[in-house]
């Protein structure tokens, strides 16, 4: 084996080992996220170089295998000078490309250490810009929601007013309907109504007499609180009569005053506990009949 062949085998072995290391251990470029495309650009350059290196070495192995299969490997024998010259030229071209690629990779790797990272103030400015942008967006959304709320509130007020007017109209119509129905009933059945009115008056008088008899029997007159020498007495029926008259004569002010020395407290408490009489909300000396309409 000639010295040239040994040198060529050594070069191929070194290239094979370099290709193996490059294929299995890709360089990892460390770069910080500084919102630039510097790290991505370098990664793309290295990736393209690795692909080109792989293509060239694959081409070299393909040529060598073809020469071996054809038994025309001019590097290891001298069967054909023309083939040997062509293969030598291809090998030289591949070796040159390999050397240039290695130089380019080394140059790019040296640039990594010389790249200056951005200052913290730049990152802070970018963060403040993003924050101001988000605040403006939130302010716009807030204004939009506020406008929508104002429109809905205005519409709700209008609907409330319309509803109140409708309720008033409905109430007036119901009262008119009731009056018209009562008037029509009176016009249709006058004799029957007179009979019913007389019957109700008779029942009212009977119930009133029965109530008076009941009160005279079970709630007779009793001396008033702190009765003096005159010995004034309090009648429960008299107290009820005063309350009923006040309620009918003055519906806006149905209260009567409990003047000391004119009533007996147990009779008043009996009416209050029975739910017939109730005190004034702020003055305990005033009482009225319970409003049975509600």
């Amino acid at each position: 084996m000639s010295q040239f062949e040994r040198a060529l085998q050594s070069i191929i072995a070194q290239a094979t080992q370099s290709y193996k290391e490059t294929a299995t251990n890709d360089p990892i470029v460390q770069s910080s996220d500084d919102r630039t495309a510097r790290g991505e650009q370098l990664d793309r350059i290295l990736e393209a170089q690795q692909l080109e290196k792989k293509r060239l070495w694959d081409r070299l192995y393909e040529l060598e295998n073809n020469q071996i299969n054809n038994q025309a490997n001019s590097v290891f024998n001298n069967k054909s000078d023309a083939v040997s010259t062509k293969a030598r030229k291809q090998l030289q071209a591949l070796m040159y490309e390999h050397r240039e690629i290695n130089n380019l990779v080394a140059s790019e790797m040296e640039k990594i250490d010389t790249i200056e990272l951005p200052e913290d103030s730049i990152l802070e400015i970018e963060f403040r810009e993003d924050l101001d942008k988000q605040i403006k967006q939130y302010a716009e959304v807030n204004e939009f929601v506020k406008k929508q709320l104002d429109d809905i509130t205005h519409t709700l007020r209008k609907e409330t007013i319309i509803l109140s007017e409708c309720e008033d109209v409905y109430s007036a119509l119901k009262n008119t309907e009731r009056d018209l129905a009562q008037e029509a009933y009176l016009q249709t059945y006058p004799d029957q109504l007179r009979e019913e009115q007389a019957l109700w008056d008779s029942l009212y008088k009977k119930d009133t007499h029965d109530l008076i008899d009941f009160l005279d029997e079970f709630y007779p007159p009793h001396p008033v609180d702190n009765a003096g020498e005159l010995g004034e007495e309090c009648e429960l029926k008299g107290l009820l009569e005063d309350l009923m008259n006040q309620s009918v004569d003055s519906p806006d002010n149905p209260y009567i005053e409990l003047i000391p020395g004119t009533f007996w407290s147990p009779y008043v408490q009996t009416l209050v506990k029975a739910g017939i009489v109730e005190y004034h909300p702020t003055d305990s000396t005033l009482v009225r009949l319970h409003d049975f309409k509600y």
Side-chain angles (χ1 to χ4, degrees):
M1 180 180 298
S2 64
Q3 184 178 0
F4 176 75
E5 292 177 350
R6 287 194 296 271
L8 184 59
Q9 287 181 353
S10 176
I11 292 172
I12 293 174
Q14 293 177 3
T16 303
Q17 182 65 24
S18 175
Y19 172 73
K20 180 178 179 181
E21 294 176 356
T22 303
T24 56
N25 299 318
D26 290 332
I28 299 176
V29 179
Q30 300 291 337
S31 62
S32 61
D33 186 12
D34 56 357
R35 300 181 181 272
T36 63
R38 184 185 63 254
E40 297 180 359
Q41 180 67 19
L42 181 58
D43 290 340
R44 286 195 293 269
I45 292 174
L46 293 176
E47 184 179 359
Q49 291 174 354
Q50 293 296 335
L51 293 175
E52 182 65 17
K53 183 187 291 186
K54 182 178 182 304
R55 184 185 69 78
L56 293 175
W57 278 107
D58 290 342
R59 178 61 179 165
L60 176 62
Y61 283 126
E62 181 182 357
L63 292 174
E64 184 179 359
N65 290 332
N66 290 337
Q67 293 295 331
I68 293 173
N69 293 333
N70 296 329
Q71 295 182 356
N73 192 342
S74 61
V75 177
F76 299 100
N77 57 62
N78 298 321
K79 292 183 178 181
S80 176
D81 293 339
V83 175
S84 175
T85 302
K86 182 178 180 181
R88 186 176 291 106
K89 290 181 179 180
Q90 291 179 349
L91 178 59
Q92 290 176 354
L94 292 173
M95 292 174 63
Y96 177 76
E97 292 180 357
H98 179 306
R99 185 171 60 255
E100 291 298 324
I101 290 174
N102 287 336
N103 293 335
L104 183 59
V105 171
S107 176
E108 295 295 335
M109 294 295 291
E110 291 177 356
K111 291 181 180 179
I112 295 177
D113 298 333
T114 60
I115 294 176
E116 297 181 358
L117 296 178
E119 298 180 359
D120 294 339
S121 59
I122 298 177
L123 298 178
E124 183 178 357
I125 292 173
E126 293 178 352
F127 174 76
R128 290 179 179 274
E129 290 178 352
D130 293 341
L131 185 61
D132 292 339
K133 183 178 180 181
Q134 293 180 2
I135 292 174
K136 291 180 180 178
Q137 292 177 352
Y138 288 140
E140 292 176 357
V141 172
N142 189 22
E143 289 296 330
F144 175 76
V145 173
K146 184 178 180 181
K147 185 177 181 301
Q148 293 291 326
L149 181 60
D150 292 340
D151 294 341
I152 293 174
T153 304
H154 180 67
T155 304
L156 180 61
R157 290 197 186 99
K158 291 174 62 177
E159 295 293 336
T160 303
I161 295 173
I162 293 173
L163 178 60
S164 178
E165 293 176 353
C166 291
E167 290 178 349
D168 293 340
V169 172
Y170 177 77
S171 178
L173 290 175
K174 290 294 290 184
N175 293 333
T176 303
E177 181 184 9
R178 183 171 59 253
D179 295 341
L180 291 175
Q182 185 176 2
E183 183 179 353
Y185 184 77
L186 291 173
Q187 293 176 358
T188 305
Y189 308 101
D191 296 335
Q192 184 178 355
L193 289 174
R194 292 191 188 93
E195 293 177 359
E196 291 181 357
Q197 183 67 31
L199 178 61
W200 283 111
D201 291 341
S202 175
L203 291 175
Y204 173 75
K205 292 178 181 179
K206 181 178 181 302
D207 291 339
T208 302
H209 289 300
D210 292 341
L211 177 61
I212 293 173
D213 294 339
F214 174 80
L215 294 176
D216 289 337
E217 181 178 358
F218 294 98
Y219 296 95
H222 193 280
V224 299
D225 294 343
N226 301 322
E229 297 179 355
L230 298 177
E232 296 183 7
E233 294 182 344
C234 173
E235 293 184 353
L236 185 59
K237 64 181 179 180
L239 181 59
L240 287 174
E241 183 178 1
D242 293 339
L243 290 168
M244 293 172 65
N245 292 335
Q246 183 69 19
S247 177
V248 173
D249 295 339
S250 301
D252 296 334
N253 184 25
Y255 291 94
I256 65 172
E257 184 178 2
L258 297 176
I259 301 174
T262 61
F263 65 94
W264 188 45
S265 299
Y267 278 172
V268 177
Q269 294 299 324
T270 299
L271 295 176
V272 171
K273 291 181 179 179
I276 299 173
V277 172
E278 58 185 20
Y279 284 105
H280 191 275
T282 59
D283 190 353
S284 62
T285 63
L286 300 178
V287 293
R288 59 163 292 178
L289 284 178
H290 179 75
D291 194 352
F292 293 100
K293 294 186 295 184
Y294 301 101

